[in-house]
Amino acid sequence: MILDPKNYRKEFEDSSLKKILQERDRIIEFMHAFEDNKLPKKYYERDPSPEVIYFSNIDYLKEICDLIKIKTQKRDHKAVRLSPFLAIEEVISKFDDEKQKEFFDELKVKDKELYYGYIEWKSHEKE
């Protein structure tokens, strides 16, 4: 059964990036086999035909690639947001308690948003 591309997409919206990438690879593998006339004979005995599946896969591939883009951007956005906090962690790990206090006092003056963001992140990390 051939699904509408939007319904097909809905089946993968809650999937992990890994599963979505696997589906992309499965589609591409089928498309290459079709284009190279290397599909097993059994595919030509089925309904819908390989041609119909091939053209549906083009639409499905668009949907899958869009989901990959969305999932990758979400993952990268989380990593970028944590980068400054992880950098602070690395820096203060080299300081004794007094130096850490000085560092945070100075950070609080120079960049309040970063300071309070770090404090909030650190408090959630402990939970």
Side-chain angles (χ1 to χ4, degrees), residues 85-127:
F85 303 150
L86 297 175
I88 289 171
E89 287 283 292
E90 187 175 336
V91 168
I92 65 169
S93 70
K94 297 175 177 129
F95 295 160
D96 62 22
D97 289 343
E98 189 175 318
K99 272 285 210 195
Q100 286 183 14
K101 184 180 179 332
E102 289 174 23
F103 175 85
F104 284 116
D105 288 344
E106 192 173 316
L107 181 62
K108 190 175 183 179
V109 171
K110 289 183 177 180
D111 192 339
K112 284 184 179 182
E113 185 178 340
L114 179 58
Y115 172 79
Y116 287 111
Y118 173 81
I119 297 300
E120 182 179 340
W121 172 73
K122 197 64 177 171
S123 68
H124 289 299
E125 186 183 62
K126 291 178 182 177
E127 293 175 353

Side-chain angles (χ1 to χ4, degrees), residues 58-69:
I58 292 172
D59 293 329
Y60 293 170
L61 192 55
K62 288 184 227 174
E63 298 298 330
I64 286 292
C65 287
D66 190 47
L67 288 174
I68 292 170
K69 182 178 177 182

Side-chain angles (χ1 to χ4, degrees), residues 5-96:
K6 298 299 177 193
N7 288 330
Y8 171 82
R9 177 189 179 125
K10 286 179 185 175
E11 288 190 10
F12 290 92
E13 284 180 340
D14 295 328
S15 298
S16 69
L17 178 59
K18 181 179 179 179
K19 183 172 180 178
I20 294 169
L21 293 171
Q22 288 171 339
E23 179 65 6
R24 176 207 56 197
D25 294 344
R26 185 197 66 76
I27 291 171
I28 291 171
E29 185 177 313
F30 175 90
M31 293 177 80
H32 281 299
F34 177 81
E35 292 164 353
D36 296 336
N37 295 314
K38 292 185 178 178
L39 282 177
K41 187 177 180 178
K42 66 182 179 181
Y43 279 93
Y44 293 92
E45 299 166 356
R46 295 181 181 171
D47 186 36
S49 70
E51 293 84 5
V52 171
I53 295 170
Y54 178 83
F55 289 114
S56 295
N57 276 340
I58 292 172
D59 293 329
Y60 293 170
L61 192 55
K62 288 184 227 174
E63 298 298 330
I64 286 292
C65 287
D66 190 47
L67 288 174
I68 292 170
K69 182 178 177 182
I70 290 166
K71 296 277 184 176
T72 303
Q73 286 174 337
K74 282 182 182 177
R75 181 194 64 197
D76 292 347
H77 180 70
K78 286 179 184 175
V80 168
R81 281 192 335 199
L82 289 179
S83 295
F85 303 150
L86 297 175
I88 289 171
E89 287 283 292
E90 187 175 336
V91 168
I92 65 169
S93 70
K94 297 175 177 129
F95 295 160
D96 62 22

